[in-house]
Amino acid sequence: MSLIFSRQCEYAIQALIYLAKKTETEWISIKEIADHINIPQHFLGKIFQMLSNKGILKSKKGLQGGFCLSKPSSDINLKDIVDTIDGVAYSTACVAGFPNCSNDSPCPLHNSWKDLREGIVKMLKMRNLKQMADEISKPGYN
Amino acid sequence: MSLIFSRQCEYAIQALIYLAKKTETEWISIKEIADHINIPQHFLGKIFQMLSNKGILKSKKGLQGGFCLSKPSSDINLKDIVDTIDGVAYSTACVAGFPNCSNDSPCPLHNSWKDLREGIVKMLKMRNLKQMADEISKPGYN
DNA sequence: CTATATTAAGACAAATTACTCTTATTATCA
DNA sequence: TGATAATAAGAGTAATTTGTCTTAATATAG
Ligand code: FES
Ligand code: FES
């Protein structure tokens, strides 16, 4: 199969958007999030564990515990999330798997791909969690 | 990790470009191809087996056997290859994994993503094996 | 304080993807 | 025409990704 982002990354994006809709000081449990966006609870737990280690989230154990964003939602963009979970290969490696992707040693797809790739990176940098949380709250959005 | 296309798909693209450089009637062995583009021989065997079943390649067993394209290389475009191996999800499913990607029930990324996705699809349709084989033969290409 | 329920963390298991080894087919040549 | 070597096909294995079950931590109530 292979889509653009890994399953983990997709879940993370959805979960963080949900988190960004909450007040900044609230601790939200993975159970609540997993139930709302309908993904496996403990898988999300592992993803959030990593995002905590990487400094994107804060966690608190025990009753009344949970997770919350470690920065204002407007300061976390999509690229931060994607790069943390999936790495940066999508923005640097050859789309056809040839070694050494660069303008100097291009593959036959390089010139066609370069601009599309830049577009993707630019978009990921542009969109932050606050915007997306606002947008998903509008009627008609899923 | 997760790049745009699966490993299988990357290998297929590279191998088919190699094949497209040969004369149309020649039978080329997976060994020759795998050695040249430096990928696992028998893994390529399985990929080519599938592409044969799907009608993109023809195969011939035994001594002097091998594979060759079932159509002129100018009639096989990248989208044919990618869709056959990885499916069409990359061009239809939500980039963030939300259910029901459409203009009517968009996720917060949908409008940013739509055009980029169309660009990718258009590019894949545009590029055929003949072009790419010609291009990779030029000096400086890898 | 102690018991309890809630929670994240961590160990474990299943599914998928990537890769390798073995077998069956067939053209060639003695 | 039978032996041989080259070849695709297919069975088997390893690694990675995804998903589940168990344990440890802690706030709260009694
Ligand atoms: S070399 Fe293939 S995309 Fe750059
Ligand atoms: S709904 Fe997310 S990309 Fe279309």
Side-chain angles (χ1 to χ4, degrees), chain B residues 7-75:
Chain B
R7 193 72 65 87
Q8 284 195 42
C9 195
E10 292 181 351
Y11 289 167
I13 294 170
Q14 296 181 33
L16 291 176
I17 291 176
Y18 181 88
L19 214 50
K21 288 195 292 187
K22 302 285 176 167
T23 66
E24 274 179 29
T25 49
E26 228 173 324
W27 295 98
I28 313 292
S29 73
I30 48 169
K31 180 162 189 352
E32 174 182 342
I33 302 173
D35 284 353
H36 268 83
I37 64 182
N38 201 34
I39 64 173
Q41 172 182 347
H42 293 106
F43 192 28
L44 178 60
K46 291 193 70 168
I47 297 168
F48 268 24
Q49 198 177 326
M50 179 181 53
L51 292 176
S52 300
N53 293 333
K54 300 275 188 174
I56 291 179
L57 293 174
K58 283 181 294 185
S59 76
K60 192 170 126 184
K61 285 187 186 176
L63 198 56
Q64 306 284 38
F67 292 88
C68 70
L69 299 174
S70 64
K71 290 189 286 187
S73 58
S74 56
D75 287 2

Side-chain angles (χ1 to χ4, degrees), chain A residues 93-102 105-110 113 117, chain B residues 142:
Chain A
C94 171
V95 69
F98 285 98
N100 309 322
C101 172
S102 79
S105 62
C107 76
L109 280 171
H110 186 84
W113 176 242
R117 177 164 73 184
Chain B
N142 73 19

Side-chain angles (χ1 to χ4, degrees), chain A residues 29-30 42 46 49 59-63 66-67:
Chain A
S29 73
I30 48 169
H42 293 105
K46 291 191 72 169
Q49 199 176 326
S59 76
K60 192 169 127 183
K61 284 188 187 175
L63 198 55
F67 292 87

Side-chain angles (χ1 to χ4, degrees), chain A:
Chain A
M1 242 262 290
S2 176
L3 243 104
I4 310 287
F5 306 128
S6 68
R7 192 72 65 89
Q8 283 195 41
C9 195
E10 293 181 351
Y11 289 167
I13 294 170
Q14 295 182 34
L16 291 177
I17 291 176
Y18 181 88
L19 215 51
K21 289 195 290 186
K22 302 284 177 168
T23 66
E24 272 178 31
T25 50
E26 228 173 325
W27 295 99
I28 313 291
S29 73
I30 48 169
K31 180 160 188 352
E32 174 182 341
I33 302 173
D35 284 353
H36 268 84
I37 64 183
N38 200 33
I39 64 173
Q41 172 182 347
H42 293 105
F43 192 28
L44 178 60
K46 291 191 72 169
I47 298 167
F48 268 25
Q49 199 176 326
M50 179 182 53
L51 292 176
S52 301
N53 293 334
K54 301 275 188 174
I56 291 179
L57 293 173
K58 285 181 294 186
S59 76
K60 192 169 127 183
K61 284 188 187 175
L63 198 55
Q64 306 283 40
F67 292 87
C68 70
L69 298 174
S70 65
K71 289 189 286 189
S73 58
S74 56
D75 287 4
I76 302 173
N77 65 41
L78 263 178
K79 189 157 186 301
D80 298 331
I81 301 165
V82 171
D83 288 5
T84 300
I85 296 180
D86 281 350
V88 297
Y90 74 94
S91 66
T92 57
C94 171
V95 69
F98 285 98
N100 309 322
C101 172
S102 79
N103 294 333
D104 296 332
S105 62
C107 76
L109 280 171
H110 186 84
N111 290 313
S112 312
W113 176 242
K114 201 173 45 178
D115 293 345
L116 292 168
R117 177 164 73 184
E118 264 169 35
I120 294 174
V121 171
K122 197 180 282 183
M123 186 272 274
L124 294 177
K125 275 186 184 157
M126 196 117 63
R127 306 302 313 271
N128 67 53
L129 282 179
K130 178 163 192 324
Q131 293 169 355
M132 294 193 285
D134 288 347
E135 201 162 339
I136 208 173
S137 304
K138 293 182 194 165
Y141 278 76
N142 72 22

Side-chain angles (χ1 to χ4, degrees), chain B residues 60-100:
Chain B
K60 192 170 126 184
K61 285 187 186 176
L63 198 56
Q64 306 284 38
F67 292 88
C68 70
L69 299 174
S70 64
K71 290 189 286 187
S73 58
S74 56
D75 287 2
I76 302 173
N77 66 40
L78 264 177
K79 189 158 186 300
D80 298 331
I81 302 165
V82 171
D83 288 4
T84 300
I85 296 180
D86 280 350
V88 296
Y90 74 95
S91 67
T92 57
C94 170
V95 69
F98 286 96
N100 308 322

Side-chain angles (χ1 to χ4, degrees), chain A residues 142, chain B residues 93-102 105-110 113 117:
Chain A
N142 72 22
Chain B
C94 170
V95 69
F98 286 96
N100 308 322
C101 172
S102 78
S105 63
C107 76
L109 280 171
H110 187 83
W113 177 242
R117 179 165 72 184

